[in-house]
Amino acid sequence: MIKILIVEDELIIAEDIRNMLSSIGYEVIDVAMDFDDAIAILEKQKPDLILLDVNLNSHKDGIDLAELINEKYKIPFIFTTSYSDSATLNRAKNTHPVNYLVKPFKKEQLYSTIEMSLHAVSNSEHEAPTENDAFVIKDALFLKDKFKYTKLNISDILWIKSDGNYLEIQTTKKEELIRATLSNFIDRLNSDLFFRTHKSYIVNLDYLTKIETNYVTIVASKIPISKNYYDELLKKLNVV
């Protein structure tokens, strides 16, 4: 589930946003009322996205907070504000938000803005276009689930199997199916954790328990490995 931090100095508005987010399947990790509250939360938790009010009633406003987020936390944020004048917009643009949402807004507007923003973040981190069913942001895979995206930690993936135009993703808890090709997908993972053992398989080396000539064992499951990938894996693991 996608985790969101709300930074909003009006309690009633903050609770309204929280309720909207919860009703469409997002997890609100917390609500910060000002600059200092937000920093205290970010020091302990890492949301996937921040909804950030421009006008905070504190010694620093939302744009000041955005500058610090860019510098220290590297978390994408959407500005939410009642102010849409050119001066405010120009100042806000310099912090490179992934989107800008003018209050008051409806649940449908909030949902579409978040979804488009997640795609924008993904596209900015990869030169190739994202797949329709999934995209990667940092250490997480976001899977299309009906009308929203759910979050899967990449470290929880055991292996990935290609099946035509689809990929079967086996995790520590369950299996997922997405529309994508194996070659493009392994590039998106951008992680030393994963290794291609076969034209149809990628495995997570953190779960590697055994290496044989024709198979590797991931936890308790045997995954085929081709000769050229076998030799490459031995070199990668420094096995003599």
Side-chain angles (χ1 to χ4, degrees):
M1 185 177 292
I2 296 171
K3 298 179 179 180
I4 297 178
L5 170 64
I6 300 169
V7 184
E8 168 62 58
D9 65 341
E10 295 288 342
L11 184 58
I12 294 176
I13 295 175
E15 287 304 312
D16 188 37
I17 295 173
R18 184 204 288 269
N19 291 335
M20 284 193 286
L21 290 171
S22 298
S23 70
I24 52 181
Y26 300 118
E27 178 184 349
V28 177
I29 64 166
D30 213 331
V31 174
M33 304 299 291
D34 58 28
F35 182 96
D36 293 331
D37 279 350
I39 298 304
I41 293 167
L42 290 172
E43 286 296 310
K44 297 177 181 179
Q45 301 186 71
K46 185 179 180 182
D48 302 305
L49 184 69
I50 300 172
L51 295 181
L52 177 55
D53 185 20
V54 169
N55 186 35
L56 299 176
N57 289 323
S58 64
H59 60 290
K60 293 186 177 181
D61 65 13
I63 299 177
D64 293 319
L65 179 57
E67 292 172 348
L68 183 59
I69 290 169
N70 286 333
E71 178 184 343
K72 185 175 181 181
Y73 301 103
K74 313 297 183 185
I75 299 170
F77 57 89
I78 297 170
F79 276 129
T80 62
T81 181
S82 302
Y83 298 94
S84 57
D85 61 277
S86 59
T88 301
L89 283 171
N90 288 333
R91 186 170 168 235
K93 284 177 184 176
N94 291 330
T95 63
H96 306 292
V98 291
N99 223 317
Y100 198 97
L101 194 55
V102 178
K103 296 183 287 188
F105 47 80
K106 296 181 179 180
K107 180 169 65 175
E108 292 78 14
Q109 292 172 293
L110 178 62
Y111 167 76
S112 61
T113 300
I114 290 173
E115 295 297 301
M116 288 189 295
S117 298
L118 290 172
H119 271 293
V121 172
S122 179
N123 282 326
S124 70
E125 294 185 354
H126 303 282
E127 292 182 4
T130 59
E131 301 288 347
N132 290 331
D133 283 357
F135 55 87
V136 176
I137 299 178
K138 300 188 185 301
D139 58 354
L141 175 65
F142 292 84
L143 305 175
K144 187 94 179 262
D145 181 11
K146 295 182 180 178
F147 301 108
K148 65 179 185 297
Y149 286 89
T150 58
K151 179 184 175 183
L152 171 65
N153 290 326
I154 288 175
S155 60
D156 290 337
I157 297 173
L158 299 178
W159 72 82
I160 302 170
K161 178 185 176 182
S162 174
D163 184 10
N165 293 322
Y166 290 84
L167 297 179
E168 299 174 11
I169 302 176
Q170 182 64 53
T171 75
T172 55
K173 298 178 181 178
K174 60 181 179 178
E175 182 180 293
E176 301 280 359
L177 184 68
I178 65 169
R179 187 170 63 248
T181 61
L182 199 63
S183 296
N184 289 338
F185 197 76
I186 192 169
D187 291 337
R188 295 190 185 287
L189 290 175
N190 190 27
S191 172
D192 290 335
L193 289 177
F194 293 91
F195 183 83
R196 189 166 189 168
T197 64
H198 185 274
K199 65 179 181 179
S200 300
Y201 283 91
I202 298 170
V203 301
N204 187 337
L205 294 178
D206 270 358
Y207 296 96
L208 178 66
T209 56
K210 190 176 182 180
I211 305 174
E212 299 175 78
T213 305
N214 297 316
Y215 296 94
V216 294
T217 302
I218 304 297
V219 185
S221 299
K222 283 190 171 184
I223 306 297
I225 184 168
S226 303
K227 178 63 168 63
N228 57 325
Y229 290 122
Y230 174 81
D231 294 338
E232 186 180 339
L233 179 58
L234 294 185
K235 291 179 182 178
K236 182 179 180 67
L237 299 176
N238 294 317
V239 176
V240 178

